[in-house]
Amino acid sequence: MRYSDMEFENYDSVLRCIIRDLDNPTRSDIAKHLGLSKSAVSNIVSRLIDYGLVLDGESIQSGQKGRPGTSLSVNPSEWLVLGAAIVSSAWQFVICDLSGTLKDTYVHEIPELSPGCALACLSEGIAHVLGSHPDHLLPGVGIAVPGIIDIASGDIVVAYDFGWNERVRIGDYIEKATGMKAYVCNRHAAEGIAEYRYANEDGEQSMVYIGISSGIRATIFSSGLLVSGSHGRAGRISHLQIDPNGRLCTCGQRGCLYTLANDEALVRYYQEEAGSTVSPGMISERAAGIIKAADEGDDASRRAVERLGDVMTTAVRMLSVMLDTRKVILGGPIGDSEALVSHMNDNLSSIHGVDIFPSVSRCRIKQHGSALGAVSLVVDDAFALVRDDFFSRF
Ligand SMILES: [Zn+2]
């Protein structure tokens, strides 16, 4: 069946209201929000219900005359959504329902962390998931990766912390190899989106998430909107210059946040504080050991974490002055540290000025955060992914 752009826009907008923009809305709430007639919204909702995307819920008394409205939500039992993220040296896959509830997971190891091997393993992993979940999987995959992402093309422009110094055409590769539409985003940005969408229990609309691992990045929400910037790169705080006389950064500047607050910097602080070297192994594992020891009260580990906390306090003050944010969440895995968060809160509460600094807290999603955030990008585009099949039925 042919359908007009306007018709598609209306269905897409109504579904987005139910998925994301409004909280369990009635048909009247949606009509008012979109400026559509209630009968138009009712028709659209009926078809979305028939197609298994939406559920009719409880009756809500509006206080006005007429029949009470019913609250609408996504249907969690019909459609599944796939997300993937690079975690350590593996692809972590999650299969969720439309509300972001985890239904299944799968891990596919990446034997060699080169772009070619990572892409081949991602494609194999997707094929495995498609084989085990053949029914009702939306034909899109959210992919959370390190580095700077070109949102329009789905390319990784560069991922310095993985040593990927050339463009990796991951979106294009996956679309050709699997037939799934690819939604590529930075892994920390994805974690921030997951925290905002699925763990933001107080509904705070102005929030900054900062993910710290081998890299560092912020995800910024202001008045309920994800701040993307003109190239989709807003939140790339790694090259905020904290110390003009500091270490040389990969970008050519000195003393960038990236050189002062990541897993490598934490290991360096520990070595200086303890006057010794840490046990050999991957930097990420060594840093995780320092975080754990600091939270358990080891002195040198705590001092190392506090030095990282001093740097992060400066970064949060800068962000907070620019954005007037009310909530800062740290994750990452380096950011998910009680010693770090409490030191930063001590620092922030001791500063008295005209600016009101937010308190910092640890992330709530401890596992699968990046893949879950990637899933939400697919969910947001759910109607576009099914439109041809949908309009062929109605
Ligand atoms: Zn830099």
Side-chain angles (χ1 to χ4, degrees):
M1 177 190 161
R2 290 173 62 84
Y3 54 90
S4 67
D5 288 349
M6 174 76 85
E7 206 173 358
F8 166 73
E9 288 289 335
N10 286 345
Y11 277 88
D12 190 46
S13 302
V14 169
L15 186 57
R16 277 175 200 258
C17 280
I18 298 164
I19 285 174
R20 189 186 68 184
D21 296 347
L22 302 174
D23 189 19
N24 292 111
T26 63
R27 290 164 178 78
S28 299
D29 294 335
I30 296 170
K32 198 185 288 181
H33 186 74
L34 296 177
L36 294 172
S37 72
K38 197 177 164 199
S39 64
V41 170
S42 290
N43 281 336
I44 290 171
V45 166
S46 307
R47 289 180 178 182
L48 292 173
I49 289 172
D50 287 347
Y51 196 71
L53 288 167
V54 169
L55 271 187
D56 227 342
E58 292 172 11
S59 292
I60 294 174
Q61 292 288 350
S62 64
Q64 295 171 350
K65 286 182 185 171
R67 283 198 308 157
T70 50
S71 66
L72 300 164
S73 58
V74 288
N75 184 339
S77 53
E78 279 281 317
W79 292 92
L80 294 172
V81 193
L82 176 61
I86 291 187
V87 178
S88 298
S89 54
W91 283 105
Q92 185 181 74
F93 290 89
V94 298
I95 296 102
C96 299
D97 67 26
L98 287 179
S99 69
T101 303
L102 201 62
K103 295 294 180 185
D104 201 1
T105 60
Y106 171 63
V107 174
H108 196 97
E109 296 294 333
I110 309 170
E112 180 202 328
L113 215 50
S114 65
C117 188
L119 262 57
C121 290
L122 175 58
S123 176
E124 286 165 18
I126 292 171
H128 175 91
V129 174
L130 287 172
S132 53
H133 293 276
D135 298 325
H136 285 229
L137 196 65
L138 285 178
V141 53
I143 304 168
V145 287
I148 302 167
I149 311 306
D150 181 335
I151 301 286
S153 65
D155 294 351
I156 301 171
V157 178
V158 67
Y160 290 125
D161 51 334
F162 271 47
W164 297 358
N165 296 327
E166 290 180 8
R167 190 171 275 261
V168 181
R169 301 192 184 282
I170 185 167
D172 198 38
Y173 177 94
I174 289 304
E175 289 184 5
K176 284 187 180 132
T178 67
M180 307 274 272
K181 181 159 190 223
Y183 298 79
V184 185
C185 62
N186 172 276
R187 56 185 170 153
H188 289 314
E191 275 176 337
I193 293 169
E195 282 288 327
Y196 184 82
R197 287 282 286 271
Y198 303 125
N200 186 11
E201 284 173 5
D202 55 7
E204 179 53 60
Q205 298 217 312
S206 291
M207 181 189 119
V208 172
Y209 170 88
I210 304 174
I212 316 169
S213 59
S214 52
I216 178 164
R217 197 189 198 284
T219 313
I220 300 163
F221 286 89
S222 182
S223 304
L225 295 174
L226 175 65
V227 177
S228 299
S230 52
H231 303 91
R233 297 182 187 181
R236 258 188 78 221
I237 57 173
S238 45
H239 301 287
L240 277 179
Q241 195 178 38
I242 305 290
D243 177 7
N245 301 312
R247 285 170 172 256
L248 191 62
C249 180
T250 49
C251 72
Q253 295 190 115
R254 287 193 173 274
C256 289
L257 187 57
Y258 173 69
T259 66
L260 295 165
N262 68 355
D263 53 12
E264 214 177 306
L266 180 63
V267 169
R268 193 172 68 238
Y269 297 148
Y270 177 84
Q271 287 171 337
E272 289 166 7
E273 292 297 330
S276 64
T277 54
V278 286
S279 54
M282 278 176 67
I283 290 278
S284 60
E285 286 166 9
R286 292 194 227 167
I290 296 166
I291 290 287
K292 186 164 179 285
D295 284 349
E296 288 168 358
D298 175 66
D299 266 352
S301 300
R302 188 182 44 76
R303 286 198 302 275
V305 167
E306 288 181 357
R307 282 175 63 181
L308 187 100
D310 291 339
V311 173
M312 287 307 302
T313 303
T314 303
V316 166
R317 286 176 63 192
M318 287 176 169
L319 287 170
S320 151
V321 166
M322 283 187 279
L323 300 165
D324 188 23
T325 191
R326 292 173 50 152
K327 186 171 173 180
V328 173
I329 308 284
L330 293 193
I334 304 296
D336 187 15
S337 153
E338 194 49 45
L340 176 66
V341 161
S342 69
H343 182 69
M344 287 177 66
N345 282 328
D346 287 347
N347 283 348
L348 289 164
S349 63
S350 69
I351 303 163
H352 300 287
V354 290
D355 296 302
I356 300 163
F357 295 113
S359 64
V360 179
S361 49
R362 295 166 70 178
C363 59
R364 300 184 70 124
I365 300 175
K366 304 295 183 187
Q367 278 191 306
H368 311 301
S370 292
L372 198 55
V375 155
S376 82
L377 303 179
V378 184
V379 172
D380 281 354
D381 213 26
F383 192 73
L385 286 167
V386 299
R387 68 175 139 190
D388 289 341
D389 183 54
F390 180 92
F391 285 119
S392 73
R393 290 204 206 173
F394 297 105

